[in-house]
Amino acid sequence: QVQLVESGGGSVQAGGSLRLSCAASGYRYSNYCMGWFRQAPGKEREGVASISTGGGSTNYADTVRGRFTISRDNAKNTLYLQMNSLKPEDTAMYYCAAVLAPGPWRCPPWNAYNDWGHGTQVTVSS
């Protein structure tokens, strides 16, 4: 079955950077769209970034566009999220997620992702 394990979270001051990783196993990774989501205390989970099977198409939430970069290494079955210029409002549990891709350049909407990791905590202090 699909297994997703996130790492790289931690505590950082505002303006700092973190790089999250997600190691995937148990399925044909290159056939799946991958995404990063986050959930802050008392808030609903939200989509942060997604990437197509080959990495050629990406999508970002407005709140992170220009600061975060999603990427994937299909040879290593690993997903990344480079987070720069972090803000206190970026504080949340970050989750990696997967969904079977409808095509090589398209990814389903946020609510279609159906395999999840356990999350890694990111805390940004002011």
Side-chain angles (χ1 to χ4, degrees), residues 6 12 14 21 27 34 40-41 60 62 69 71 80 87-88 105 122:
E6 302 93 337
V12 64
S21 298
Y27 67 108
M34 299 297 297
Y60 295 93
D62 290 342
T69 302
S71 61
Y80 304 99
K87 304 175 181 180
W105 291 96
V122 171

Side-chain angles (χ1 to χ4, degrees), residues 36-126:
W36 286 101
F37 294 73
R38 67 186 182 186
Q39 187 168 19
K43 295 188 176 181
E44 292 188 355
R45 186 169 58 195
E46 62 174 349
V48 172
S50 66
I51 189 166
S52 59
T53 56
S57 179
T58 57
N59 182 44
Y60 295 93
D62 290 342
T63 51
V64 306
R65 187 174 291 113
R67 300 187 297 123
F68 291 10
T69 302
I70 189 171
S71 61
R72 65 190 294 166
D73 186 335
N74 286 353
K76 295 181 178 180
N77 285 8
T78 303
L79 177 73
Y80 304 99
L81 185 68
Q82 178 67 44
M83 304 186 295
N84 298 328
S85 302
L86 282 161
K87 304 175 181 180
E89 51 263 44
D90 294 318
T91 295
M93 185 71 79
Y94 282 71
Y95 298 90
C96 168
V99 63
L100 188 63
W105 291 96
R106 295 170 53 220
C107 283
W110 299 122
N111 60 6
Y113 285 76
N114 51 14
D115 288 297
W116 299 87
H118 292 293
T120 184
Q121 177 68 38
V122 171
T123 303
V124 184
S125 58
S126 58

Side-chain angles (χ1 to χ4, degrees), residues 5-20:
V5 180
E6 302 93 337
S7 61
S11 296
V12 64
Q13 288 192 325
S17 298
L18 283 173
R19 189 193 196 202
L20 306 184

